[in-house]
Amino acid sequence: MGRDSFDERLDRLTGVLARMSRDAGTAIRQASVALLDVDRYAAETVIAGDLVLDRCRAQAEQMIPEVLVRHQPVASDLRLVLSALRIAAALERMGDLAAHIAKVVLMRHPVGVVPQPAVPVLAQMAEAAARMADKTTVLLATRDRLDAMQFGLDDDEVDAAQESLLSMLVSEWPYGVESAIDLALVGRYYERYADQAVNVARQIVDLDAGTLRR
């Protein structure tokens, strides 16, 4: 297989990752609508969409051995395909976490999961997570280090919101233990979603720098 054909296959692989990133962003937005608007249809859409992300990850994994078998890869090529595996895994995990939020919504429906006092902090987490997903899609195209640096600020925002939420839940929360557990889980899912977005950003930047993060 010639170099041009190899590059074409890598472009196709990058395209799959870009689609996964867009789908992960759509998933967290829909999960947030389900959560904050008590929208059963949105929650069901997230769960159905998670199967698509699973298939996209499988597609990416199937493409990689074919590239390596038909081409004598240099070190940079190996870094690229191995990093692509890790990026696909992180994006698929982001979809899983959005689905976890949706499942909490469905478990309690038609009762809402988020009492009014917790709406602002959950809305903040939802907005930050969606913003990180958008930046992931851009970063896959640009590999811009300045763009990647912004992920840390967004992740800090999610972490701070999670701390505020937990403080709220342990300080005489009037809505019961079950509600507190639900919100603690949802907050944790947003936090882990943001962590996976940071992981994607680090993989992309390390790849561009010629290194590979475990």
Side-chain angles (χ1 to χ4, degrees):
M1 184 171 73
R3 185 75 212 184
D4 289 345
S5 181
F6 177 72
D7 290 341
E8 181 181 340
R9 290 175 186 273
L10 290 182
D11 287 342
R12 286 174 52 206
L13 178 58
T14 301
V16 172
L17 297 178
R19 177 187 173 180
M20 291 184 71
S21 181
R22 290 191 296 270
D23 287 352
T26 298
I28 200 65
R29 283 188 168 87
Q30 290 177 326
S32 299
V33 168
L35 179 71
L36 297 172
D37 295 346
V38 198
D39 189 326
R40 182 183 184 91
Y41 175 75
E44 291 172 341
T45 301
V46 173
I47 294 169
D50 188 44
L51 297 176
V52 177
L53 267 169
D54 292 344
R55 288 196 292 269
C56 284
R57 178 183 177 180
Q59 180 184 359
E61 291 175 343
Q62 290 168 2
M63 294 171 69
I64 287 171
E66 183 178 356
V67 170
L68 294 178
V69 166
R70 297 191 181 187
H71 173 76
Q72 296 298 322
V74 297
S76 59
D77 297 336
L78 288 171
R79 283 195 297 269
L80 177 58
V81 295
L82 291 174
S83 187
L85 277 173
R86 292 169 182 167
I87 291 169
L91 292 170
E92 190 261 343
R93 184 60 181 152
M94 289 164 69
D96 288 343
L97 291 163
H100 290 339
I101 295 171
K103 289 174 182 176
V104 173
V105 174
L106 291 178
M107 181 173 61
R108 301 302 179 198
H109 194 273
V111 177
V113 175
V114 188
Q116 187 58 41
V119 168
V121 68
L122 265 300
Q124 181 185 5
M125 296 179 84
E127 180 182 350
R131 187 167 64 243
M132 294 177 79
D134 291 343
K135 289 180 179 180
T136 297
T137 303
V138 171
L139 191 60
L140 280 164
T142 65
R143 299 188 189 177
D144 188 283
R145 284 182 168 273
L146 292 178
D147 288 342
M149 289 173 62
Q150 297 299 315
F151 278 74
L153 298 176
D154 293 325
D155 189 41
D156 289 344
E157 180 180 348
V158 175
D159 289 343
Q162 169 71 339
E163 290 181 8
S164 296
L165 177 63
L166 293 178
S167 296
M168 187 183 304
L169 297 177
V170 299
S171 59
E172 299 184 6
W173 182 248
Y175 299 94
V177 173
E178 193 172 76
S179 171
I181 292 172
D182 286 345
L183 288 180
L185 284 173
V186 167
R188 178 59 175 155
Y189 295 147
Y190 276 114
E191 182 184 35
R192 291 170 63 188
Y193 183 100
D195 289 343
Q196 290 297 330
V198 170
N199 186 27
V200 172
R202 287 173 176 168
Q203 289 288 339
I204 295 170
V205 172
D206 287 349
L207 168 64
D208 199 44
T211 61
L212 191 64
R213 185 180 296 268
R214 289 186 177 275

